[in-house]
Amino acid sequence: MESNAISITYKTAARDRPLSAIRVHRAAGDPRRGWLTADGWTVPVALGRGGILANKREGDGGTPRGTYRPLQLWWRADRHPRPRTYLPARPIRPEDAWCEDPRDRRYNQPIRLVRDQPGDRLTREDHLYDFIVEIDHNAGPRVAGRGSAVFLHLARTNFSPTAGCVSMTKSAMLRLLRRMGPQTKIMIG
């Protein structure tokens, strides 16, 4: 039996495929500032107030050294349209928060809080958490006290240090999101 099927292959430009890797390293002269490099472009980032640390602990302000994968994008749908990305995306709701208590069984996981409960709420008045890339730092298995809520998120205008995250401008974040997928390696250090 003869087939008349025609095979068509479309070439995609590198800019239309997910990045294989993103590298983050500290800037010379200031361990709380750094550079993010991806596919030939480099942008400034703010790092944790403790710099990049190999032995991350809860509350030390360090950005953890290592290789991670992005898990999902959280974004403020009440402020921004859904950005283009290869990552799974979830709008941030007012009750969304992150458990940072090493004694809690939900440590380093998203939680839902009622109005007066403590926790790191994802709906902030400032714009730092308008876009959050959740990474797999201390995710499997989770170890109490090894650090929680380490994200890629937006930077303050003066690029002041974070509590351990990697932060950047909104334009850099949106450009990065367009090329970031679940298999993208995030190499810090």
Side-chain angles (χ1 to χ4, degrees):
M1 181 181 248
E2 195 173 313
S3 172
N4 292 330
I6 298 173
S7 175
I8 299 174
T9 303
Y10 293 98
K11 287 189 176 187
T12 56
R15 71 180 183 280
D16 296 325
R17 292 190 297 263
L19 292 164
S20 60
I22 296 164
R23 289 175 174 72
V24 176
H25 62 277
R26 69 180 285 259
D30 189 348
R32 301 168 305 164
R33 297 263 179 112
W35 298 100
L36 180 146
T37 304
D39 198 33
W41 58 277
T42 301
V43 296
V45 293
L47 302 172
R49 66 182 180 278
I52 296 175
L53 301 176
N55 193 17
K56 171 81 180 138
R57 296 284 184 201
E58 188 68 40
D60 63 8
T63 300
R65 178 184 311 274
T67 300
Y68 306 100
R69 299 265 186 199
L71 298 175
Q72 71 178 331
L73 166 69
W74 298 70
W75 97 98
R76 289 289 300 266
D78 60 324
R79 293 180 175 174
H80 307 280
R82 184 187 192 279
R84 202 173 98 202
T85 186
Y86 292 100
L87 292 173
R90 176 179 172 176
I92 297 171
R93 300 174 308 234
E95 65 272 10
D96 287 331
W98 209 265
C99 182
E100 297 177 322
D101 183 352
R103 298 164 300 181
D104 193 310
R105 64 179 172 74
R106 302 168 301 168
Y107 178 66
N108 196 29
Q109 293 184 71
I111 56 176
R112 296 177 88 179
L113 298 178
V114 292
R115 186 163 296 165
D116 296 326
Q117 279 183 295
D120 187 12
R121 290 200 182 266
L122 303 184
T123 51
R124 295 173 57 123
E125 289 300 315
D126 61 22
H127 291 272
L128 299 184
Y129 282 6
D130 280 9
F131 301 98
I132 301 169
V133 176
E134 176 187 349
I135 67 172
D136 67 353
H137 168 261
N138 195 24
R142 287 176 290 121
V143 177
R146 297 296 282 175
S148 63
V150 176
F151 306 129
L152 305 183
H153 65 74
L154 300 184
R156 291 177 178 88
T157 55
N158 64 357
F159 274 81
S160 60
T162 69
C165 298
V166 175
S167 66
M168 65 200 74
T169 64
K170 179 182 171 186
S171 62
M173 174 65 81
L174 293 174
R175 183 175 180 183
L176 187 63
L177 286 172
R178 282 193 296 273
R179 299 282 313 282
M180 188 180 287
Q183 296 306 313
T184 303
K185 291 181 186 174
I186 303 168
M187 296 178 282
I188 301 173

